[in-house]
Amino acid sequence: MPQIAQLTADNWYLASQLFWLLVVFAGIYLVIGRGMLPKIEATVDARDRKVADDLAAAKAAHAAADGLEESYRQQSDASRVAAQKAVAEAKDKAAKDAEKRLAKVDAELGDKLAAAEADVAAARKSAMAEIESVAAEAAGDLVAKLSGVKVGAADAKAAVKAVLHG
């Protein structure tokens, strides 16, 4: 290869190639190192700042969401307490209403029971009076049939009363 032969045969070509190698590398350094690299670093720094700002915004949004969640929980708890209080008040009111109605019905039943007991007592008294008169007649008839003696109605009633009440 002629390129390799030139390097070993003559030092002038070697020095020329080394010079141009240094010139090319210096050009590449100047173009990339001084021109492109600062732009790339600026872009990377801007991206890092953007990422940091986005993370800070996300943390702030997370904190705001936590605050909203806590507020929601407090409102939910307050609503639950208010609902339980309303239910308890409704139960108490219903119980009081039921007690009032029960007392009213109980009083009505007590009145009806007293009236029924009075009716039963009157019927018993009437029945006892009838039984006494029937028993007095029957006793008078029995004494008349058995002994042939006629007993007066007043005496028969007195004897029946003595036996029944005595």
Side-chain angles (χ1 to χ4, degrees):
M1 291 193 12
Q3 294 88 3
I4 296 176
Q6 288 176 1
L7 290 177
T8 57
D10 200 358
N11 280 342
W12 185 78
Y13 287 116
L14 178 63
S16 170
Q17 287 183 349
L18 284 177
F19 171 75
W20 286 111
L21 179 68
L22 288 175
V23 168
V24 169
F25 276 128
I28 290 173
Y29 173 76
L30 288 176
V31 170
I32 292 177
R34 298 289 181 186
M36 292 174 62
L37 190 61
K39 291 179 184 177
I40 292 171
E41 286 178 346
T43 302
V44 169
D45 289 342
R47 190 192 75 197
D48 288 344
R49 279 192 304 275
K50 175 83 169 130
V51 167
D53 291 345
D54 288 347
L55 285 175
K59 285 181 183 178
H62 189 270
D66 286 345
L68 285 174
E69 181 183 9
E70 183 61 30
S71 172
Y72 170 75
R73 284 185 184 157
Q74 289 174 354
Q75 288 176 350
S76 176
D77 291 345
S79 297
R80 186 176 298 113
V81 167
Q84 288 174 347
K85 183 179 178 182
V87 167
E89 289 174 357
K91 282 183 181 179
D92 290 343
K93 184 179 178 187
K96 287 178 183 176
D97 289 345
E99 286 178 14
K100 287 178 183 176
R101 284 184 279 162
L102 185 61
K104 183 179 176 183
V105 169
D106 203 20
E108 289 174 2
L109 289 176
D111 292 344
K112 286 182 182 179
L113 180 63
E117 286 176 351
D119 289 345
V120 167
R124 179 180 290 147
K125 189 174 183 181
S126 171
M128 286 303 282
E130 253 183 71
I131 288 175
E132 285 180 12
S133 67
V134 169
E137 284 179 30
D141 289 343
L142 276 175
V143 169
K145 282 187 182 178
L146 291 176
S147 66
V149 177
K150 181 121 177 143
V151 177
D155 292 335
K157 273 190 175 184
V160 168
K161 271 189 180 180
V163 170
L164 286 178
H165 297 295

